[in-house]
Amino acid sequence: MTALTHEAPEVTEVDETEEEPEAHGGPEAPPRADLDEALWQAWKTLELPEGFHAEIVEGSIEVSPTGRHCHGQIVNRLRRALDKFLDGGDHAAYQDMNVIHELTAYVPDLFVAPEDDAEHVTEDGLGLKASCVEMVVEVVSPGHRAIERDRIHKRRAYARAGVPVYVLIDDHDGHGTVTVLTSPSPGEAVYAAETRVPYGTEVAIPDGAAKGFVIGEAITGPRRNA
């Protein structure tokens, strides 16, 4: 991981290779494909109260509430800035929409995809195919489970789906950090390159439709508890 500094962002190569857990005795588990299909069917039938959304993240259905004020403030600042940056182009910023990859479903805080999205809608109309998504953004919510989901599970999931750029805005990492992950390897479920900076240091998106878009203090606010 790149050390936090106030200098220019440094891009590093990262190794996220994980060892497979050892097999244990006991009843034989159902085939993975059957479990994935069961989760998919369960997810499609969920009826949640207003203010909640459900995702399928690495073999679990995750139900999350609407973010707190600080979370929503950052997301909305980012959305407004991205709308201006993408204006006149072929892509747009999206919120509150499912991104579908095989039998998994995600609801990023924000993502960038073609503005003319008709050909990218899934056959069942549940969302957009992950293959059309250029960038996803997650603003980390408080709580161990939420932090782990965005930093670890969704990091692997978006890489597995081949999303070119994953931006993680994290209030809960030191005084606040922005991490830009690029060069996904779907087979390994890892991002090969990472740029990580503290709040207050500008970082530019290096690839895709949002290339050159800068995330800085105007979006994140100043360093937390500095």
Side-chain angles (χ1 to χ4, degrees):
M1 295 291 232
T2 307
L4 296 185
T5 68
H6 286 281
E7 304 300 325
E10 178 184 353
V11 179
T12 59
E13 297 299 312
V14 294
D15 181 4
E16 300 175 349
T17 304
E18 291 191 327
E19 295 182 358
E20 292 294 327
E22 294 183 4
H24 295 281
E28 185 177 345
R32 179 73 254 175
D34 290 350
L35 291 172
D36 290 343
E37 180 64 29
L39 281 170
W40 178 251
Q41 295 301 331
W43 175 81
K44 289 199 297 182
T45 61
L46 283 176
E47 295 185 12
L48 298 174
E50 185 176 350
F52 288 82
H53 65 258
E55 305 170 280
I56 303 174
V57 182
E58 295 205 316
S60 298
I61 294 178
E62 301 268 356
V63 177
S64 304
T66 300
R68 299 182 181 185
H69 172 264
C70 182
H71 178 282
Q73 187 180 52
I74 291 175
V75 173
N76 282 299
R77 285 174 183 163
L78 185 62
R79 173 67 187 269
R80 290 192 294 270
L82 265 173
D83 282 340
K84 291 180 181 179
F85 184 86
L86 297 170
D87 187 39
D90 298 327
H91 289 74
Y94 292 81
Q95 285 177 279
D96 300 321
M97 190 181 295
N98 296 318
V99 172
I100 308 295
H101 174 62
E102 297 177 347
L103 297 180
T104 58
Y106 312 103
V107 186
D109 287 321
L110 198 70
F111 68 94
V112 174
E115 186 164 23
D116 184 3
D117 62 4
E119 66 179 284
H120 304 292
V121 178
T122 58
E123 291 183 6
D124 51 19
L126 290 175
L128 290 181
K129 300 172 185 176
S131 57
C132 78
V133 174
E134 293 274 339
M135 181 175 82
V136 292
V137 181
E138 297 287 0
V139 179
V140 180
S141 297
H144 174 75
R145 189 173 183 85
I147 291 171
E148 185 178 72
R149 180 173 62 244
D150 288 341
R151 290 183 187 170
I152 300 173
H153 300 300
K154 281 196 169 183
R155 177 173 177 149
R156 289 196 297 248
Y158 290 139
R160 191 177 291 118
V163 176
V165 181
Y166 177 28
V167 177
L168 192 64
I169 299 176
D170 194 343
D171 266 4
H172 311 286
D173 183 5
H175 297 298
T177 62
V178 178
T179 302
V180 178
L181 298 154
T182 55
S183 301
S185 177
E188 298 173 275
V190 300
Y191 282 96
E194 172 182 308
T195 302
R196 182 168 175 261
V197 301
Y199 284 6
T201 301
E202 294 186 345
V203 60
I205 303 303
D207 300 307
K211 182 178 181 179
F213 177 75
V214 174
I215 300 173
E217 187 171 331
I219 291 171
T220 65
R223 298 183 77 195
R224 299 290 188 261
N225 303 316

